[in-house]
């Protein structure tokens, strides 16, 4: 259910919201997610956002900053830094070279 929630709400989903929806205490759900997936909620959310951003980069002509916003990043500097760390390329280089 958590993975489906992330799939459907990656842009603005929160651990607090999914905890409430599933009637779990925030900390307990966080531990359960990490135990079951080996990753915490924030990592799973980031992975989904970045994979969605990569898809948009390769399959649309949207501007990089617009894509960042579409997948849930408000701070463009942060998006560029996180994308570079994750893919080893800037979003523009990823689009141009992939």
């Amino acid at each position: 259910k958590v993975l489906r929630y992330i799939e459907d709400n990656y842009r603005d989903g929160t651990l607090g919201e999914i905890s409430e929806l599933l009637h779990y205490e925030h900390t307990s759900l966080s531990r359960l997610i990490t135990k079951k997936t080996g990753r915490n909620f924030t990592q799973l959310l980031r992975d989904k956002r970045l994979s969605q951003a990569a898809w948009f980069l390769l399959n649309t002509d949207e501007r990089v900053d617009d894509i960042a916003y579409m997948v849930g990043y408000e701070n463009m500097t942060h998006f560029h830094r996180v994308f570079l760390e994750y893919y080893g390329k800037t979003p523009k280089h990823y689009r141009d070279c992939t």
Side-chain angles (χ1 to χ4, degrees):
K1 290 182 181 182
V2 171
L3 296 177
R4 170 56 53 200
Y5 172 83
I6 290 171
E7 187 72 26
D8 294 341
N9 299 282
Y10 63 86
R11 186 182 186 296
D12 56 4
T14 66
L15 181 58
E17 183 177 60
I18 186 64
S19 297
E20 191 174 308
L21 290 170
L22 296 177
H23 307 289
Y24 267 83
E25 198 268 328
H26 184 92
T27 314
S28 299
L29 183 59
S30 180
R31 278 193 220 113
L32 182 60
I33 291 168
T34 303
K35 181 179 177 183
K36 296 285 187 179
T37 67
R39 305 184 68 71
N40 66 37
F41 180 83
T42 303
Q43 290 168 323
L44 293 170
L45 193 62
R46 182 203 61 212
D47 293 351
K48 176 58 184 171
R49 285 177 173 173
L50 291 174
S51 69
Q52 194 64 40
W55 187 90
F56 282 127
L57 287 167
L58 296 178
N59 295 289
T60 73
D61 292 327
E62 296 286 338
R63 293 175 358 142
V64 172
D65 289 354
D66 292 338
I67 290 172
Y69 181 75
M70 288 166 36
V71 300
Y73 286 93
E74 303 280 329
N75 182 314
M76 295 309 118
T77 302
H78 179 67
F79 170 72
H80 285 268
R81 183 175 44 80
V82 170
F83 194 95
L84 178 61
E85 287 174 11
Y86 195 81
Y87 286 105
K89 299 176 183 178
T90 65
K92 181 178 179 346
H93 190 241
Y94 183 89
R95 173 180 267 167
D96 294 342
C97 296
T98 304

